[in-house]
């Protein structure tokens, strides 16, 4: 899942793709690099972020979703990263197929019915508190058990509102109300979320815990993001939400070959003097 942020203030690429043309070009590039899904978002959820109003978010995302879907799009399904039902509805109308709601249907009382009605895929993510406050001393009894119980309750809430269970994906919400140790524990014990019986989405790309471990700024966190994403994949994540699709795809292809050899066909490397190694 390649990230297309149409925002002025996202933590790692804020402002880079605010202009619709730039965001569309970026989405096409991510698809060409091998993204299977493009996740378009018009509101930053970084720690401390203020929300944006619905008109602003609509104006940012709808032209981008329109251009990246349909016959002129690059062919990867689009997900809309929003917690507002009006934005999700407009994005679905424009061609999006997945709703990625970081509040897991808690922010907008219309969201569950919309997703049930449209039959779209739905990502339910764990977050402790709100983006404005979530990093102020987050505490858990046991982070993995608590995240799992939360997601089980949100699945129940979504299905009782009419969302088909097989359309739901779950996400532990790396960085959303978690200390470095909470994030690391979620990597180590990610397999326990498999007991929810739904595909796991995992988004650690360039996030703060990598900076705290390595001391490097967001645009230099590729190495740390690869380590985190590969371990999440090895521990059961099926959808990896990332900024750097090309290098991540290569890392996951190699990881996949090690973990499941029968699934990986060999390719001929271009210009590789070391190919016979
Ligand atoms: N993380 C961010 C946004 N949306 N959605 C899911 N399902 N999982 C995540 O971990 C997740 C998400 C935050 O990252 P980013 O979009 O790069 O930054 P910002 O919120 O500042 O735009």
């Amino acid at each position: 899942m390649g990230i297309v942020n149409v925002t002025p203030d996202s933590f790692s690429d804020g402002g880079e793709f605010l202009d619709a043309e730039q965001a569309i070009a970026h989405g096409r590039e991510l698809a060409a690099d091998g993204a299977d899904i493009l996740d378009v978002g018009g509101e930053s959820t970084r720690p401390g972020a203020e929300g944006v109003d619905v008109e602003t978010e609509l104006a940012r995302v709808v032209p981008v979703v329109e251009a990246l879907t349909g016959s002129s799009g690059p062919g990867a399904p689009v997900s809309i990263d929003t917690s507002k039902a009006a934005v999700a509805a407009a994005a679905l109308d424009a061609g999006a197929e997945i709703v990625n709601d970081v509040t897991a249907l808690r922010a907008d009382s219309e969201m569950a019915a919309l997703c049930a009605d449209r039959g779209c895929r739905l990502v339910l993510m764990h977050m402790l508190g709100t983006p404005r406050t979530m990093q102020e001393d987050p505490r858990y009894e046991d982070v993995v058990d608590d995240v799992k119980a939360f997601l089980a309750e949100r699945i129940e809430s979504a299905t009782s509102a009419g969302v088909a269970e097989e359309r739901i994906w779950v996400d532990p919400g790396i960085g959303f109300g978690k200390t470095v140790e909470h994030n690391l524990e979620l990597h180590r014990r990610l397999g326990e979320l498999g007991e929810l019986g739904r595909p796991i989405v995992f988004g650690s790309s360039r996030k703060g815990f990598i900076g705290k471990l390595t001391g490097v700024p967001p645009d230099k966190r590729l190495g740390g993001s690869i380590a985190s994403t590969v371990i999440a994949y090895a521990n059961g994540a099926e959808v990896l939400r990332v900024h750097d699709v090309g290098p991540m795809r290569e890392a996951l292809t190699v990881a996949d070959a090690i973990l499941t050899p029968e699934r990986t066909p060999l390719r001929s490397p271009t210009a590789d003097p070391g190919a016979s190694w």
Side-chain angles (χ1 to χ4, degrees):
M1 178 186 270
I3 301 170
V4 183
N5 280 325
V6 201
T7 56
D9 56 345
S10 285
F11 77 96
S12 80
D13 55 6
E16 238 182 284
F17 313 111
L18 181 59
D19 173 72
E21 289 310 314
Q22 281 170 308
I24 294 160
H26 185 57
R28 290 185 182 283
E29 201 176 302
L30 295 180
D33 285 347
D36 292 322
I37 299 170
L38 297 172
D39 188 42
V40 177
E43 176 179 52
S44 173
T45 48
R46 74 182 196 293
E50 296 290 344
V52 296
D53 60 66
V54 66
E55 287 75 23
T56 306
E57 201 178 328
L58 281 169
R60 288 178 185 171
V61 299
V62 171
V64 176
V65 173
E66 264 169 7
L68 291 177
T69 54
S71 53
S72 58
V78 166
S79 67
I80 178 70
D81 186 347
T82 189
S83 45
K84 297 185 184 72
V87 174
L92 293 168
D93 289 343
E97 295 175 44
I98 304 164
V99 171
N100 174 21
D101 182 359
V102 298
T103 73
L105 306 177
R106 294 175 299 157
D108 188 329
S109 58
E110 315 271 299
M111 191 67 120
L114 173 78
C115 295
D117 189 42
R118 302 295 189 95
C120 58
R121 216 165 276 288
L122 170 64
V123 182
L124 298 174
M125 196 196 79
H126 175 272
M127 178 183 348
L128 188 68
T130 64
R132 229 152 57 75
T133 59
M134 65 193 180
Q135 289 304 91
E136 293 167 9
D137 193 25
R139 283 164 196 256
Y140 298 88
E141 192 80 25
D142 175 301
V143 67
V144 180
D145 290 350
D146 291 7
V147 165
K148 189 171 150 196
F150 170 91
L151 291 172
E153 188 278 324
R154 296 320 298 158
I155 292 171
E156 175 64 36
S157 170
T159 53
S160 57
V163 177
E165 189 163 350
E166 62 271 18
R167 308 300 283 166
I168 297 173
W169 294 346
V170 294
D171 185 329
I174 294 298
F176 286 86
K178 280 119 189 151
T179 62
V180 172
E181 191 44 49
H182 293 145
N183 290 312
L184 300 180
E185 187 75 3
L186 282 163
H187 284 71
R188 291 183 198 111
R189 294 171 51 202
L190 193 66
E192 293 175 37
L193 299 187
E195 291 157 23
L196 294 166
R198 304 306 314 140
I200 299 170
V201 181
F202 195 87
S204 60
S205 184
R206 301 186 186 174
K207 281 188 176 163
F209 76 98
I210 297 171
K212 289 197 178 119
L213 292 168
T214 60
V216 297
D219 64 343
K220 299 265 176 352
R221 293 180 188 160
L222 177 58
S225 300
I226 289 176
S228 159
T229 302
V230 165
I231 288 192
Y233 176 65
N235 287 345
E238 288 183 49
V239 180
L240 294 317
R241 183 181 182 276
V242 305
H243 297 87
D244 305 283
V245 170
M248 202 62 78
R249 183 104 222 173
E250 285 173 21
L252 289 167
T253 301
V254 174
D256 192 47
I258 296 164
L259 296 165
T260 51
E262 68 281 4
R263 285 224 306 256
T264 307
L266 295 180
R267 299 166 191 239
S268 322
T270 40
D272 181 2
S276 57
W277 282 7

